[in-house]
Amino acid sequence: MVNPVERCSRVELASGSKIPCLGLGTYLNTERTKEVIKSAILDHGYRHIDTATDYENEAQIGEALEECMAVGVAREDLFITTKIWISDYGDIEGACRESLRKLRLSYIDMFMMHWMVLPLDFESEDWRPTTPPFYLLWKQMEGLVDQNLVKNIAVSNCTIPMMVDLLAGCRIKPAVN
């Protein structure tokens, strides 16, 4: 059984979760992803893996995570972050469940809204938004925590005006931006 050593400190989030200070980002990592993730975890002590739906590598990461856990890395020692893409704002729970399936996990440590840009219909006369307002989308994110599908919810690339709007009505504040 492997007992790889974690090699960085952690910071406690408002939820009580402890996030490793150093994480492995997987953007543009679509070749040999499984091998890279396994080596990062087993050989180099990484515990925080960061991915996103839009990176198109969640399934390969899931295979690597499953193999690492099979040789002794405890799930609770890992911190897995993934992000929902704008195109999935219409079905946040469905997108989360699909990420869980691909990652082969029962929960996600941090689920983020990626690139918080309000999609507008520029063909309409008044450039109408094509998704609900962010505060309503955030309520759906909070529901994921309530269902124990995710431990923390967060935003990525959120502007100050968007953050102020979101904070005005949220029950669970974003863990990070």
Side-chain angles (χ1 to χ4, degrees), residues 34-177:
K34 183 170 125 177
E35 293 81 11
V36 168
I37 299 300
K38 284 177 62 178
S39 176
I41 293 171
L42 299 176
D43 301 332
H44 303 286
Y46 278 84
R47 293 297 179 266
H48 182 188
I49 306 299
D50 178 273
T51 187
T53 302
D54 199 49
Y55 299 173
E56 298 181 353
N57 58 13
E58 287 178 323
Q60 296 90 341
I61 291 169
E63 290 175 23
L65 296 174
E66 188 173 69
E67 290 181 22
C68 289
M69 289 184 279
V71 297
V73 177
R75 170 61 183 99
E76 58 272 11
D77 291 341
L78 296 169
F79 194 97
I80 309 302
T81 297
T82 194
K83 304 167 205 77
I84 185 172
W85 191 243
I86 298 163
S87 60
D88 292 323
Y89 285 176
D91 185 12
I92 289 176
E93 182 179 335
C96 178
R97 289 184 183 278
E98 181 63 11
S99 288
L100 284 166
R101 183 189 69 75
K102 288 179 180 177
L103 291 166
R104 302 179 184 203
L105 298 173
S106 60
Y107 66 89
I108 295 168
D109 296 281
M110 184 165 320
F111 195 57
M112 304 178 85
M113 293 183 75
H114 203 185
W115 283 105
M116 291 189 62
V117 176
L118 186 62
L120 300 175
D121 177 5
F122 291 107
E123 301 298 319
S124 69
E125 192 173 300
D126 57 357
W127 291 3
R128 188 167 310 208
T130 60
T131 65
F134 283 117
Y135 75 90
L136 291 177
L137 296 174
W138 193 254
K139 293 208 178 303
Q140 293 177 53
M141 297 283 283
E142 292 172 331
L144 302 175
V145 175
D146 296 339
Q147 295 177 65
N148 296 313
L149 298 174
V150 303
K151 297 212 179 263
N152 299 278
I153 50 178
V155 294
S156 175
N157 306 307
C158 182
T159 65
I160 292 171
M162 287 179 173
M163 182 66 81
V164 168
D165 184 53
L166 191 137
L167 290 172
C170 71
R171 180 172 49 87
I172 302 171
K173 292 179 183 170
V176 299
N177 178 15

Side-chain angles (χ1 to χ4, degrees), residues 17-46:
S17 295
K18 293 183 179 178
I19 184 172
C21 293
L22 182 65
L24 180 68
T26 62
Y27 178 60
L28 296 181
N29 187 336
T30 55
E31 294 182 26
R32 299 185 50 242
T33 303
K34 183 170 125 177
E35 293 81 11
V36 168
I37 299 300
K38 284 177 62 178
S39 176
I41 293 171
L42 299 176
D43 301 332
H44 303 286
Y46 278 84

